């Protein structure tokens, strides 16, 4: 049993882990830092990458996930790319499911030692779907199904995609699961500024383009990837040099929309504490940069240390 699992749960406190692609590895650092402050949420709700990290925490496998992603390089990422020619997404997602299985057990949400929920979105209606029972792996796989990238998940006759489309930082689900106080983690708080600084020549120096050129580039990449070997495919998807890959184009567009949804929903249902990792320099698909994200996740918690220690149920001994 590791140090984190030996800590008592904080029964009144819930944690809402937001969407944000590769930035989501910051959630690992957030949970590690919270544990060091004596805060171990008994309720966790996650959307997209937040569902993946939240599930690992809920089943006691956070340390295993941290070890796995900190050593995840481009070569290793090749093993999780299974191109799909059947429609619905560029990647079938079966190998991604294998990655999830290696970091958490085949279990049900009801069997977890903490209350857990994941958010997905019904593709046809746009309705927000909450996973509160049933297969943990199925819930995670549905929640991380980025539209256009991963083939949607079918469940009970409905096609489900990424939860970040409807509830990027699921404070509402956290409260529905019984949390009286919610710590929310927003991974996209600096997203708009990131794009503004890029236009002014800062951060990633990606080539600018108008809308027509952008879609011509995407169409060209799609045509090339159908004939490319696996390694070339990964390069096209993730981008190389100044040219953004398909992943970056889709994820950036979706995350810009998610930022607006997040602002609106958090204004209507604010958490007790908002943790905002600053990861503007981290590409949305830079899954091989986990160490950077984890360090910033820890730093973001420490910036909110005083507010966190004032939550009910957090002992004075932690001050």
């Amino acid at each position: 049993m590791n140090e984190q699992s030996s800590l008592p749960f904080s029964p009144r406190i819930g944690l809402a882990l937001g969407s944000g692609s590769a930035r989501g590895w910051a959630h690992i650092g957030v949970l590690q830092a919270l544990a060091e402050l004596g805060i171990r949420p008994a309720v966790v709700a996650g959307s997209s990458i937040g569902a993946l990290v939240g599930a690992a925490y809920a089943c006691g496998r956070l340390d295993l996930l941290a070890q796995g992603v900190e050593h995840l390089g481009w070569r290793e990422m090749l093993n999780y790319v299974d191109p799909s020619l059947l429609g619905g997404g560029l990647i079938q997602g079966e190998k991604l499911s294998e990655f999830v299985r290696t970091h958490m057990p085949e279990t049900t949400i009801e069997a977890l030692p903490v209350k857990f929920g994941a958010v997905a979105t019904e593709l046809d209606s746009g309705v927000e779907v909450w996973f509160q029972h049933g297969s943990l792996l199925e819930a995670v796989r549905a929640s991380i199904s980025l539209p256009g990238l991963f083939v949607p998940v079918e469940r009970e006759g409905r096609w489900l995609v990424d939860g970040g489309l409807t509830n990027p930082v699921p404070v509402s689900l956290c409260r529905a699961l019984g949390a009286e106080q919610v710590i929310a983690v927003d991974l996209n708080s600096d997203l708009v500024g990131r794009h503004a600084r890029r236009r002014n020549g800062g951060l990633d120096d990606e080539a600018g383009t108008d809308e027509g050129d952008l879609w011509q580039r995407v169409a060209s990449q799609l045509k090339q990837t159908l004939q490319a070997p696996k390694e070339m495919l990964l390069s096209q998807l993730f981008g190389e040099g100044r040219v953004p890959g398909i992943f970056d184009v889709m994820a950036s567009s979706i995350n810009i929309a998610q930022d607006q949804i997040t602002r609106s929903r958090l204004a209507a249902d604010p958490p007790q504490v908002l943790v905002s990792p600053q990861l503007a320099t981290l590409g949305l698909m830079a899954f091989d940069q986990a160490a950077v994200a984890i360090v910033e996740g820890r730093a973001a918690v420490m910036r909110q240390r005083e507010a966190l220690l004032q939550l009910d149920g957090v002992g004075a001994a932690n001050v």
Side-chain angles (χ1 to χ4, degrees):
M1 181 176 291
N2 58 46
E3 181 181 354
Q4 282 186 304
S5 63
S6 64
L7 291 171
F9 289 115
S10 306
R12 296 168 57 87
I13 298 175
L15 183 65
L17 299 177
S19 60
S21 301
R23 295 180 175 198
W25 297 146
H27 291 318
I28 296 173
V30 167
L31 282 158
Q32 291 173 341
L34 287 176
E36 291 172 4
L37 294 178
I39 302 172
R40 192 162 180 253
V43 175
V44 178
S47 186
S48 193
I49 189 71
L52 172 58
V53 178
Y57 165 80
C59 65
R61 300 289 183 88
L62 184 67
D63 290 344
L64 179 63
L65 179 63
Q67 293 169 9
V69 302
E70 284 182 333
H71 298 93
L72 185 65
W74 283 98
R75 294 291 178 183
E76 289 75 22
M77 290 172 65
L78 285 169
N79 297 325
Y80 302 111
V81 175
D82 49 352
S84 171
L85 300 179
L86 301 178
L90 295 173
I91 295 177
Q92 185 66 30
E94 290 303 317
K95 292 192 175 181
L96 177 64
S97 296
E98 290 179 14
F99 172 82
V100 176
R101 288 190 189 96
T102 62
H103 293 88
M104 59 191 70
E106 293 271 6
T107 188
T108 62
I109 294 174
E110 306 94 292
L112 298 173
V114 302
K115 289 187 177 180
F116 173 77
V119 180
T121 302
E122 185 178 5
L123 185 60
D124 292 335
S125 67
V127 171
E128 181 179 337
V129 177
W130 288 357
F131 282 83
Q132 302 177 71
H133 54 80
S135 169
L136 178 65
L137 298 180
E138 183 181 67
V140 171
R141 174 66 180 84
S143 189
I144 62 177
S145 295
L146 193 68
L149 178 57
F150 295 109
V151 174
V153 172
E154 185 178 14
R155 182 177 188 246
E156 299 175 355
R158 299 189 293 178
W159 290 103
L160 304 178
V161 293
D162 198 295
L165 294 178
T166 49
N167 197 350
V169 185
V171 173
S172 55
L173 175 54
C174 216
R175 296 196 196 283
L177 289 170
E180 298 178 29
Q181 301 173 100
V182 177
I183 302 166
V185 185
D186 179 11
L187 299 174
N188 298 319
S189 63
D190 58 344
L191 186 64
V192 175
R194 176 178 189 260
H195 287 270
R197 291 192 294 277
R198 179 184 298 147
R199 288 194 299 270
N200 292 330
L203 296 175
D204 321 7
D205 193 21
E206 295 179 10
T209 181
D210 60 30
E211 185 177 355
D213 289 341
L214 178 62
W215 286 110
Q216 289 175 16
R217 177 181 296 164
V218 173
S220 176
Q221 287 182 328
L222 281 170
K223 183 178 180 180
Q224 292 178 41
T225 56
L226 292 178
Q227 303 171 348
K230 191 184 236 186
E231 189 162 350
M232 176 99 33
L233 171 63
L234 192 64
S235 174
Q236 291 289 333
L237 291 175
F238 281 86
E240 185 173 333
R242 294 170 58 87
V243 181
I246 297 173
F247 279 20
D248 285 316
V249 172
M250 291 190 300
S252 294
S253 301
I254 290 172
N255 276 279
I256 290 171
Q258 287 180 358
D259 178 62
Q260 301 303 314
I261 298 171
T262 299
R263 291 170 187 266
S264 176
R265 296 199 65 149
L266 292 184
D269 188 11
Q272 274 63 43
V273 180
L274 180 61
V275 176
S276 301
Q278 302 298 296
L279 291 166
T281 58
L282 188 66
L284 294 169
M285 292 295 120
F287 287 100
D288 60 330
Q289 298 295 313
V292 174
I294 291 172
V295 168
E296 173 54 24
R298 295 174 65 90
V301 168
M302 292 308 168
R303 289 195 292 270
Q304 291 288 63
R305 182 177 185 274
E306 295 305 317
L308 290 164
L309 292 177
Q310 291 177 20
L311 293 173
D312 292 343
V314 178
N318 299 316
V319 179

